[in-house]
């Protein structure tokens, strides 16, 4: 593998899949027409960061099949470095189906990812020099949930990055269907969260994971566990943040005329937060950007299609946030 690359801003790791999005509102069994798109929390974040001008790398495995070719072409076409992407001739690329929800409600999804190429990733395959060539690592609970070996891969990567002085963000991104039980999911996600610099659960996730109700109490739980910063996503209400240094506050959300597709909002939020922090913005300004990008993502169909480009940040975000 080529490890003599220019330093990266961010590395992320995880599974990306082909997504078949329904073209008409109906149960999946009744849908006849689908549009092929890209799905994957980590690649959504990577693409969002790349569109904002950051240098981003993605570590993963894909099958030697048409879905894998589609995923690789799409991600690389967005300017994300895929030099650590391995093509597995023995295992397939995963895919998923998603309903169309005309009222903006969370869609029904079905996954076909068991035994996928990404689920077979092993710690011994990790190129740590590539991992540590970035200033920041972004990880999610989805990749960790695929198999015991991917949990180990995720945890090891987070530990190595943190030990080397890199910042590490962690989005729980709970997927109960991927875990053997809710208890295992809670224990596993909280174990990973202890390794992260920034923990960013949604409010419902935070309540389930900690047994605490308020954003302040959820943040206190993760700060006590070792996080430097905790950001609680509050949906339309915006976000709450608290730092180990004692800074805390609520940043209001961005109103949108119509919610089209909720999937990908949290990934857009993560891209906004990470990019702003790596650029040296203060936490309130970083959350303003994160809220704004998350709001853009839910106004179009597709998981990453609504993520903005760098030139869109200035005037559009300024106009939007000044009306809060």
């Amino acid at each position: 593998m080529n490890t003599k690359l220019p330093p990266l801003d961010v590395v992320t790791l995880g599974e990306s899949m082909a997504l078949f999005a329904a073209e008409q509102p109906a149960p999946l069994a009744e849908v006849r027409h689908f549009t092929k798109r890209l799905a994957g929390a980590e690649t959504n974040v990577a693409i969002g960061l790349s569109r904002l001008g950051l240098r981003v790398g993605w570590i993963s495995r894909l099958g030697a099949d048409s879905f894998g070719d589609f995923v690789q072409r799409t991600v690389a076409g967005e300017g994300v470095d895929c030099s650590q992407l391995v093509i597995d001739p023995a295992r397939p690329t995963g895919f998923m189906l998603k309903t169309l929800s005309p009222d903006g409600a969370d869609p029904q999804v079905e996954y076909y990812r068991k035994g996928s190429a990404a689920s077979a990733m092993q710690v011994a395959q990790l190129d740590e020099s590539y991992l540590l060539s970035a200033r920041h690592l972004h990880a999610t609970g989805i990749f960790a949930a695929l198999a015991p070996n991917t949990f180990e891969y995720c945890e090891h990567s987070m530990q190595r990055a943190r030990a080397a002085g890199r910042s590490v963000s962690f989005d729980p991104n709970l997927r109960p269907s991927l875990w053997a039980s809710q208890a295992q999911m809670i224990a596993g996600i909280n174990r990973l969260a202890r390794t992260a610099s920034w923990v960013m659960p949604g409010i419902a996730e935070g309540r389930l994971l900690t047994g605490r109700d308020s954003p302040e109490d959820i943040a206190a739980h993760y700060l006590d566990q070792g996080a430097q910063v905790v950001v609680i996503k509050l949906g339309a209400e915006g976000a709450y943040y608290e730092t180990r240094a004692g800074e805390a506050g609520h940043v209001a959300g961005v109103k949108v005329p119509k919610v089209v597709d909720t999937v990908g909002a949290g990934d857009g939020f993560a891209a906004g937060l990470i990019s702003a922090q790596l650029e040296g913005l203060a936490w309130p300004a970083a959350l303003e950007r994160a809220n704004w990008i998350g709001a853009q993502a839910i106004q179009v169909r597709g998981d990453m299609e609504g993520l903005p480009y760098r030139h869109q940040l200035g005037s559009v975000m300024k106009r939007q946030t000044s009306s809060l």
Side-chain angles (χ1 to χ4, degrees):
M1 293 184 179
N2 178 16
T3 58
K4 296 181 179 180
L5 295 169
L8 297 167
D9 294 306
V10 181
V11 162
T12 188
L13 45 90
E15 181 173 38
S16 195
M17 300 172 288
L19 161 66
F20 290 91
E23 286 296 319
Q24 65 261 26
L28 285 174
E30 300 175 14
V31 176
R32 296 177 62 87
H33 301 286
F34 295 83
T35 297
K36 186 169 69 173
R37 301 179 186 272
L38 178 75
E42 296 85 3
T43 45
N44 291 341
V45 175
I47 289 168
L49 291 167
S50 181
R51 289 183 179 183
L52 296 176
L54 279 75
R55 299 163 297 175
V56 190
W58 174 48
I59 303 173
S60 191
R61 295 175 76 92
L62 295 169
D65 46 42
S66 60
F67 288 166
D69 187 46
F70 165 73
V71 170
Q72 182 175 11
R73 287 172 180 266
T74 304
V75 177
E78 291 283 350
V80 176
D81 179 70
C82 294
S83 62
Q84 297 296 296
L85 182 61
V86 175
I87 304 303
D88 187 334
R91 298 177 180 84
T93 304
F95 72 96
M96 61 180 287
L97 308 176
K98 182 173 76 171
T99 58
L100 172 61
S101 300
D103 58 356
D106 291 343
Q108 174 195 357
V109 297
E110 288 185 1
Y111 297 105
Y112 297 85
R113 65 202 309 176
K114 186 175 182 179
S116 68
S119 71
M121 292 171 65
Q122 306 286 338
V123 169
Q125 299 162 345
L126 174 66
D127 185 338
E128 292 192 2
S129 63
Y130 182 85
L131 177 77
L132 301 180
S133 72
R135 296 191 285 154
H136 182 87
L137 170 66
H138 179 68
T140 82
I142 302 175
F143 178 58
L146 296 181
N149 49 283
T150 60
F151 185 96
E152 182 185 13
Y153 195 110
C154 188
E155 182 176 46
H156 178 81
S157 299
M158 293 172 69
Q159 289 173 340
R160 288 293 296 120
R162 189 87 187 264
R166 311 298 192 263
S167 53
V168 178
S169 55
F170 179 64
D171 187 339
N173 248 319
L174 300 184
R175 297 292 187 274
S177 64
L178 297 178
W179 295 88
S181 67
Q182 179 172 289
Q184 185 189 73
M185 176 179 72
I186 292 171
I189 292 294
N190 284 333
R191 175 172 159 179
L192 293 173
R194 287 195 290 271
T195 306
S197 317
W198 315 340
V199 181
M200 47 180 71
I203 182 65
E205 292 177 326
R207 287 168 175 160
L208 177 62
L209 290 167
T210 68
R212 303 185 181 188
D213 187 63
S214 70
E216 293 82 359
D217 287 344
I218 294 169
H221 173 88
Y222 287 114
L223 290 171
D224 289 344
Q225 296 295 314
Q228 297 299 311
V229 182
V230 182
V231 175
I232 314 294
K233 294 170 284 188
L234 304 175
E237 301 303 313
Y240 173 82
Y241 77 100
E242 190 167 338
T243 74
R244 179 170 290 279
E247 184 182 355
H250 171 260
V251 177
V254 175
K255 295 180 179 179
V256 300
K258 182 180 180 180
V259 176
V260 176
D261 187 348
T262 58
V263 179
D267 303 327
F269 183 97
L273 186 74
I274 295 166
S275 64
Q277 266 294 297
L278 293 183
E279 291 167 23
L281 272 65
W283 284 105
L287 264 68
E288 284 186 0
R289 179 185 291 186
N291 285 337
W292 182 80
I293 293 179
Q296 307 316 298
I298 64 176
Q299 295 182 70
V300 300
R301 294 187 63 191
D303 295 7
M304 59 81 174
E305 281 77 358
L307 297 173
Y309 292 86
R310 185 78 195 182
H311 71 271
Q312 296 174 282
L313 275 184
S315 59
V316 178
M317 183 178 168
K318 183 177 180 180
R319 202 166 56 240
Q320 196 78 22
T321 55
S322 65
S323 65
L324 297 177

